[in-house]
Amino acid sequence: MAKGAVGEQKEELQELMLIKKTMMKLSQHCYDSSRWKEASSACALDQVGGNVGKMVKDVKEKDTLGLLGKGRRFDRKIHLTCMAGAIGLLKGGQLSKKALLKEAALFSKGPEMLEATEAIISDCFNQIQNCTSEEDILQDQVIIFMQCLTPNLIHSCFKNRIRFLTKNGSDNDFDQYVGEEE
């Protein structure tokens, strides 16, 4: 790989990390993800062998390509399934709608976000019920659920924050800022 291409990859990776940081900052207004972060850390360390000192050193030295290498060996399905188990979202080897809705009450900040989060969880849970069979493995169900849940939670939070920041909270204000029709 040419030196310029490596520099471009590193720059793009930094841009992506900035976008992720911005999205995480936005979501802090809507959700308390502390339990998810704890579960994520524990499950991630289990997968990469728990060498925290080496990972911290890599981050400090900005060895982003080295971290990418670790990320390539990282199994997202295992990680998300581990997190779901650690948080208590699994009952009888399956995602539990009751446990998911209970988590929504702990996770959501404010009644508006709770209502939206419960609706999103119900929709996403119904999708996995309609699109998966008993033979499907739990990891696939968790991935499908999270692929539905995550973007919808971000979108809901974004809409909530726009409405809050425009004070009168009308759909017209939201459409004006986002440039789309709901």
Side-chain angles (χ1 to χ4, degrees):
M1 184 178 288
K3 214 175 207 182
V6 171
E8 289 173 13
Q9 274 187 322
K10 192 172 184 174
E11 184 178 324
E12 184 177 353
L13 181 60
Q14 288 171 340
E15 289 170 358
L16 291 171
M17 296 310 286
L18 181 61
I19 291 169
K20 181 179 179 183
K21 184 178 178 180
T22 302
M23 288 175 19
M24 296 303 286
K25 187 175 181 180
L26 166 71
S27 71
Q28 290 175 354
H29 293 284
C30 303
Y31 310 110
D32 176 7
S33 60
S34 58
R35 288 170 32 90
W36 286 84
K37 287 178 184 176
E38 288 175 23
S40 179
S41 294
C43 292
L45 289 176
D46 284 348
Q47 265 195 69
V48 296
N51 191 347
V52 178
K54 170 97 172 87
M55 286 187 279
V56 169
K57 184 179 178 209
D58 288 347
V59 169
K60 284 183 178 177
E61 293 174 358
K62 300 226 186 264
D63 180 13
T64 50
L65 293 179
L67 288 174
L68 266 180
K70 275 200 180 292
R72 288 188 184 114
R73 292 189 306 266
F74 191 78
D75 189 326
R76 186 168 185 254
K77 285 182 179 183
I78 292 172
H79 180 72
L80 290 175
T81 305
C82 175
M83 286 175 55
I87 293 171
L89 304 179
L90 307 178
K91 303 290 183 220
Q94 300 289 317
L95 279 172
S96 163
K97 186 174 184 178
K98 183 177 178 180
L100 289 163
L101 292 172
K102 182 179 175 186
E103 180 62 24
L106 299 171
F107 177 69
S108 302
K109 291 184 177 178
E112 286 179 14
M113 287 313 308
L114 176 58
E115 184 179 329
T117 301
E118 288 174 338
I120 292 167
I121 286 172
S122 292
D123 289 345
C124 293
F125 190 82
N126 289 339
Q127 281 186 30
I128 66 165
Q129 295 301 302
N130 293 331
C131 298
T132 60
S133 66
E134 290 293 320
E135 294 79 37
D136 287 333
I137 62 171
L138 175 62
Q139 291 176 353
D140 290 336
Q141 292 175 350
V142 171
I143 286 289
I144 293 166
F145 180 79
M146 294 304 291
Q147 287 174 339
C148 174
L149 183 72
T150 303
N152 284 304
L153 287 178
I154 292 168
H155 185 81
S156 178
C157 181
F158 186 80
K159 285 173 29 177
N160 178 275
R161 294 305 297 161
I162 291 291
R163 287 186 178 118
F164 174 78
L165 294 170
T166 57
K167 301 285 190 247
N168 43 354
S170 74
D171 285 338
N172 291 335
D173 290 333
F174 175 75
D175 294 341
Q176 175 187 348
Y177 282 97
V178 177
E180 66 180 44
E181 303 242 346
E182 288 187 74

